[in-house]
Structures are given as structure tokens and as C-alpha cells.
Amino acid sequence: MYPPELVKPMQQELTAVGFDELRSKADVDVALSKEGTTLVVVNSVCGCAAANARPGAIKSLQNAKTPDHLVTVFAGVDKEATDEARARMVPFPPSSPSMALFKDGELVHMLERHHIEGRPAEMIADNLMDAYNEHC
């Protein structure tokens, strides 16, 4: 587990633009049982989360179509919530950071770490916007 003072700015980067933090299995269950589309960002302390993932997720929200619900779990902090979110992302293996778009509780689009690492935030945002245009 990471110290709260270390991760707080990383959490706030997403919550400041409307993401809700999920901290328990029950939180994930409630979030993914909602009708409509839900973007789940598995946040992390790694450099690619700071340089690419969080900025890409934020930039993607400038699209005409966006998810109905925005949520985040923090790997290494919210273990129970992260484990449950990852269980809903099967068959994709656990990775951090990662992003998943759900529609009515069903996984419809996935960005794994290898889709994020080494790619600019703009490319990640474009990938998400394409998914929003198709599913939202």
C-alpha cells in the first residue's frame, strides 16, 4: 500500500474532473450495475499513468459523446475495489494503469497497460473517443 499523501494528488487529478473514487467491492458493484456507460480507470503511481493515462482519460472527455459515469480505482491503494474491477475486466489480465468502458455492466472496450505505455496522451484520448462514439 502506498502512503495516502503520496497518492492524493494522483487521485485528485481524476476526481477534479468528475471521476468518483471506488474503494470497496460494493462500490464497484454499484457503479457497474448502473444503466448506461461507465469508464473505469485503474489508476497507479507509475510514470505512464502520470504522463499518458490520466491526461489521456481527461482529454477524452472533450469529446461530444462521453460516458454516463466516470469512476476510478487505485492499484496499490484500494485493493478490494481494484480486485473487483479487474475481475470484471476478464479475459484481460490485470494491469495498471488500464481503462475499461462498460455499457450496462458489460465490458465493451479495454485499454491495457501495453496500449498506454509509450503512447502519448492524445493517442489514448483518441482511442477512448472512438469507443465513446461507438458505445455512448
Side-chain angles (χ1 to χ4, degrees):
M1 295 296 227
Y2 298 106
E5 62 275 4
L6 172 72
V7 301
K8 188 172 181 88
M10 298 172 207
Q11 291 168 319
Q12 289 176 332
E13 194 171 349
L14 293 177
T15 59
V17 296
F19 282 81
D20 292 324
E21 289 182 277
L22 307 180
R23 300 195 178 263
S24 68
K25 179 186 183 308
D27 290 346
V28 174
D29 289 341
V30 168
L32 295 182
S33 69
K34 293 180 179 175
E35 285 187 28
T37 51
T38 303
L39 178 65
V40 179
V41 174
V42 179
N43 202 349
S44 73
V45 298
C46 76
C48 65
N52 309 330
R54 290 190 300 270
I58 293 165
K59 185 173 180 55
S60 76
L61 301 177
Q62 297 171 3
N63 196 45
K65 292 183 178 182
T66 58
D68 299 308
H69 314 284
L70 305 169
V71 299
T72 182
V73 297
F74 207 109
V77 176
D78 305 315
K79 181 175 177 10
E80 184 182 327
T82 302
D83 289 349
E84 181 61 22
R86 286 175 170 163
R88 305 288 187 101
M89 296 173 190
V90 170
F92 298 96
S95 66
S96 312
S98 61
M99 301 177 205
L101 183 65
F102 292 83
K103 185 170 187 173
D104 298 328
E106 297 297 320
L107 180 65
V108 294
H109 187 76
M110 184 74 191
L111 278 172
E112 299 175 83
R113 180 185 176 107
H114 69 89
H115 297 123
I116 295 168
E117 200 170 33
R119 289 177 173 77
E122 293 77 18
M123 185 179 287
I124 294 162
D126 287 345
N127 181 298
L128 290 171
M129 288 187 276
D130 287 344
Y132 303 162
N133 290 337
E134 181 178 346
H135 300 289
C136 295

